[in-house]
Amino acid sequence: MFSPEGPTLRELAVQALSSVEHGYDLLAPKFDHTPFRTPDTILDAVASALGPLGPFDDGLDLCCGTGAGLAVLEGVCRGSVTGIDISAGMLEVARQRAGAGERPGGPRVTLVRGDARALPFAPGSAPAFDLVVSFGAFGHFLPAELPGLFAQVHSVLRPGGRFAFPVVAPARPGTRAYWALLGFDAVMRVRNAVWKPPFVMYYRAFRLADVRRELTHAGFDVETYVLPEFGRGPDGSPRCRMVVATRTPAERQPVSS
């Protein structure tokens, strides 16, 4: 549909009528030939912005998919690199890519199957990572799930560790992109109301103000960095930012709701 190597319309329809996990298992072999894969321009911009904040030792790519974001961690981490995803199919593609791109002397790459809402990294043990990144995955989480998701990330970061991810500015009301995203979310809500299992993917549900609030409640200090590669909109606001949430070196209890 998107290219000769990409999925057909029928394949996308079958995926959309599956669960999130099974849908991505089906899409995995052709995922990198769709617009759903995070563009290299965003990956490169985040890598450049993270450079001055490092170096980092051990990194985690949360919801790593086929592994495009692992290259960001390999560029800024000097210890180990871990990717976690719920889809075995996506991890298999990531495993093939990691093997093909193995660099002597580079970070060791480990891939783990698991749910970001219940991270499987030795519960109760010492935090394992200095940097957690995520690219394009947050639409798969309902707003009510963000507190638990961010608490999980907080639990695996060492004090002073960072949780970083890009956020694209919302489409301006009345534009073609605005109506396209509004329509997509509406179709997904109808689909999930009448068909089980649900496929959670809502492009407009991850709002920066809400994200800031929930990260703060989870015990993070939150900053944003403009990604200048993407310019500014007509109102002068950045088209793309990188959110950096830091687990404070002096441990602070999460804010009570």
Side-chain angles (χ1 to χ4, degrees), residues 102-114:
E102 195 169 347
R103 295 184 294 115
R108 174 175 53 85
V109 177
T110 302
L111 296 170
V112 178
R113 187 175 178 218

Side-chain angles (χ1 to χ4, degrees), residues 109-177:
V109 177
T110 302
L111 296 170
V112 178
R113 187 175 178 218
D115 191 332
R117 296 164 296 190
L119 292 174
F121 301 111
S125 65
F129 302 104
D130 305 288
L131 174 64
V132 176
V133 298
S134 194
F135 298 95
F138 294 119
H140 293 302
F141 300 97
L142 297 171
E145 295 177 304
L146 293 184
L149 177 68
F150 293 161
Q152 285 289 300
V153 175
H154 187 276
S155 73
V156 301
L157 274 172
R158 296 171 181 136
R162 317 263 192 163
F163 176 30
F165 50 88
V167 175
V168 178
R172 291 182 296 117
T175 62
R176 181 179 299 179

Side-chain angles (χ1 to χ4, degrees), residues 180-248:
L181 295 177
L182 184 66
F184 180 90
D185 281 9
V187 168
M188 291 303 296
R189 292 185 186 282
V190 171
R191 176 255 186 247
N192 289 334
V194 301
W195 190 271
K196 304 299 178 187
F199 189 93
V200 176
M201 182 66 230
Y202 298 121
Y203 281 105
R204 301 175 69 251
F206 194 73
R207 298 182 175 90
L208 183 56
D210 298 335
V211 169
R212 276 181 175 274
R213 183 184 66 249
E214 297 301 345
L215 285 168
T216 301
H217 284 180
F220 288 101
D221 289 332
V222 184
E223 300 174 281
T224 60
Y225 294 77
V226 173
L227 298 180
E229 295 88 340
F230 302 96
R232 294 180 178 271
D235 62 353
S237 62
R239 287 197 169 96
C240 193
R241 295 178 173 93
M242 180 177 71
V243 174
V244 177
T246 303
R247 176 170 174 168
T248 52

